[in-house]
Structures are given as structure tokens and as C-alpha cells.
Amino acid sequence: MITPYMTDEELRDAAYRDFLEIKMKVRIAFEQFAHNLKFYPGQRRAIHSLMETKTIRTKAQNTWNVCFVNDSFYLGENGKFSVTYFVYLPLHRKECVDFLFMTVLTDFSLQRVSAHFLQRYRERYLDCNQINLRGMHPALYYMYKNEDRTEVVYRPENWTEEELKDKTILISAQGLSVVKFIDKMVIYITFLDQENLSRYKAQVYEEESFWKDYRKISGKMDAKLWQALYKKMYADPDKAKIHLQNLFRRSSNLSEEDSEILKKN
């Protein structure tokens, strides 16, 4: 059974045993949710968001919440809906509550969203932007609205060698998340939104956001989306060039592929 006193490694191992037990149940429920939408190409619906939550109790007496979400009101070009799922479990630790999110389809991974992270997320994004969660827990809302999380190049200058080895920063639509990686596990430490960044970090955020879009534009996407993204990125060509130059200047850990892209520009 998962307990509040477990180490992160013990939490991961316990969650993995649950994963082996419930992965097929989640897959069947996922396919059933998508099937029950009962839509055909060209159809639309007035309510543009559907959510369904189930619970699964394992032999180890752990109760996982399984949440399925469809936020589109028509079929995509491939004739399929965009359905997202979350498998999570609240972990009560004295007066604090962490959340464990487990990836089941197609492979296992575990994410622990710390109580400190959630507190900063509330203060620095939800409260100041007066976000209406519509009954959704902040931990689930974060995971749902920040699915575009991507590792950045930037590393704080005051990080120690140990921190540089274990920690990194993820950029997403709502801000920056400081995380720590363990094998098959991510621990969310703290959250920063754009309004709470220093001038330098705000510049870094802007440059990293530009690079995130820059990499997207080289992939396959809808023509209208590509056009909109390109227009956004190059509204100011001189500024775009500065973003790429600054990113290259402070980037020592870029992949060979990314380095080549920057050199060409």
C-alpha cells in the first residue's frame, strides 16, 4: 500500500506494481469513453467539453482516480477525437497533500506534484488570474492545461553541480516548472509564472517560448495553424533573430540537431 512515509523510489516501485494490475482496465475504459462519444465526421455538439471520472482500487488497497477528458466539439482530420486521460492519487502527508500522476498508456511513468508546487501554482497563476477551476482540483488543472511541458535550455547560475545533475526546468503555456528527475519519475518542486520572473528570467522565458514554437513549425501540422504560428513568430523579424542568437549564446547542452538549426539562422 502507498503510504505518506515512502521515499520517492518506494512510491515509484509501489505505483509500478499497481500499473501492472490496472493498465488493461484503464485502456478498456479509455476506449469505452471514446466510443460513447458517438460522433461521426461533420457532426458537432453544443457542449464542447466532456469529462468522466472512475476509480480503480488495487489489491494493495490503493485507490486511483481515472479521469477522461474530451474538449473538442468535432472530429479531427483523422476522424478521431482528441481524448486525454489522467490517473492520479492524493498522497496525504500530515497537513500537506501531494498528488501522484501515473502514466499508463502506453508505458509507465510517475509524477509527484508536491504540495509546495501546488501552493506556488495557486499563488502565482490561479489566484492572480482569477481562474475558475469549475470544480477541478488545481493539480489536475495544471496537468490538463500544461500538457505542452518541454525542457528548456536555461539553467540558473546559482544551481550547484548536484542540482544541475538532477534538476531541470520545464516550460509550458502557463509558466516555468522546476522539476527533479528520478528513473521513470518526475518530482515537481516549484512553479513560476511570467509575472514572477526577474527581468532576465522573463527574457529567457520569451526566448524559450520562441524556440518551442520554432521547433513546432518544422514538424507536420495543419496549414492554418502553421500560418498562424509563423505569423506570430516573425511579427518582428529583428526580435526573432535576437532570440535565436541569445539562445545559441547561452546554450551548451543543445542537441546536435538543434545546434545545426540555430547555426543556419
Side-chain angles (χ1 to χ4, degrees), residues 34-89:
H35 175 74
N36 287 344
L37 294 174
K38 295 179 181 177
F39 266 67
Y40 305 94
Q43 280 189 304
R44 292 170 179 261
R45 64 166 175 260
I47 301 175
H48 65 274
S49 181
L50 290 176
M51 180 181 295
E52 181 179 304
T53 302
K54 298 177 179 292
T55 59
I56 299 178
R57 191 167 179 83
T58 65
K59 295 176 182 177
Q61 305 303 306
N62 299 316
T63 301
W64 292 91
N65 301 281
V66 186
C67 179
F68 302 105
V69 184
N70 165 242
D71 60 3
S72 62
F73 56 89
Y74 62 92
L75 291 174
E77 291 183 355
N78 60 359
K80 296 182 179 180
F81 284 108
S82 173
V83 178
T84 303
Y85 81 98
F86 302 94
V87 181
Y88 64 96
L89 176 153

Side-chain angles (χ1 to χ4, degrees), residues 169-184:
I169 298 174
L170 305 180
I171 188 172
S172 61
Q174 295 180 348
L176 298 174
S177 302
V178 180
V179 303
K180 179 180 179 180
F181 284 105
I182 298 175
D183 184 35
K184 295 284 187 179

Side-chain angles (χ1 to χ4, degrees), residues 36 44 54 95 99 129 141 177 197-198 214 219 234:
N36 287 344
R44 292 170 179 261
K54 298 177 179 292
E95 296 179 357
F99 274 77
N129 289 292
Y141 187 86
S177 302
L197 299 176
S198 66
Y214 193 92
Y234 291 101

Side-chain angles (χ1 to χ4, degrees), residues 118-214:
L118 290 174
Q119 180 64 27
R120 293 294 176 262
Y121 180 54
R122 288 190 187 96
E123 295 170 351
R124 296 171 175 172
Y125 189 82
L126 299 178
D127 292 347
C128 61
N129 289 292
Q130 298 181 326
I131 301 297
N132 182 357
L133 299 179
R134 300 185 184 279
M136 189 179 289
H137 191 279
L140 182 57
Y141 187 86
Y142 170 81
M143 287 295 179
Y144 177 44
K145 294 295 185 179
N146 293 276
E147 289 189 292
D148 62 334
R149 298 182 297 278
T150 307
E151 187 173 356
V152 303
V153 174
Y154 166 73
R155 296 292 184 276
E157 294 179 355
N158 62 345
W159 276 13
T160 64
E161 288 296 323
E162 189 65 25
E163 287 177 313
L164 289 169
K165 181 181 177 181
D166 297 331
K167 291 166 59 177
T168 191
I169 298 174
L170 305 180
I171 188 172
S172 61
Q174 295 180 348
L176 298 174
S177 302
V178 180
V179 303
K180 179 180 179 180
F181 284 105
I182 298 175
D183 184 35
K184 295 284 187 179
M185 187 172 182
V186 183
I187 297 96
Y188 287 76
I189 300 170
T190 195
F191 176 86
L192 295 169
D193 78 316
Q194 296 179 62
E195 298 300 323
N196 286 278
L197 299 176
S198 66
R199 183 176 179 182
Y200 172 68
K201 288 182 180 178
Q203 177 185 331
V204 168
Y205 183 89
E206 190 174 344
E207 290 166 3
E208 293 283 359
S209 296
F210 181 87
W211 179 239
K212 187 180 178 71
D213 290 339
Y214 193 92

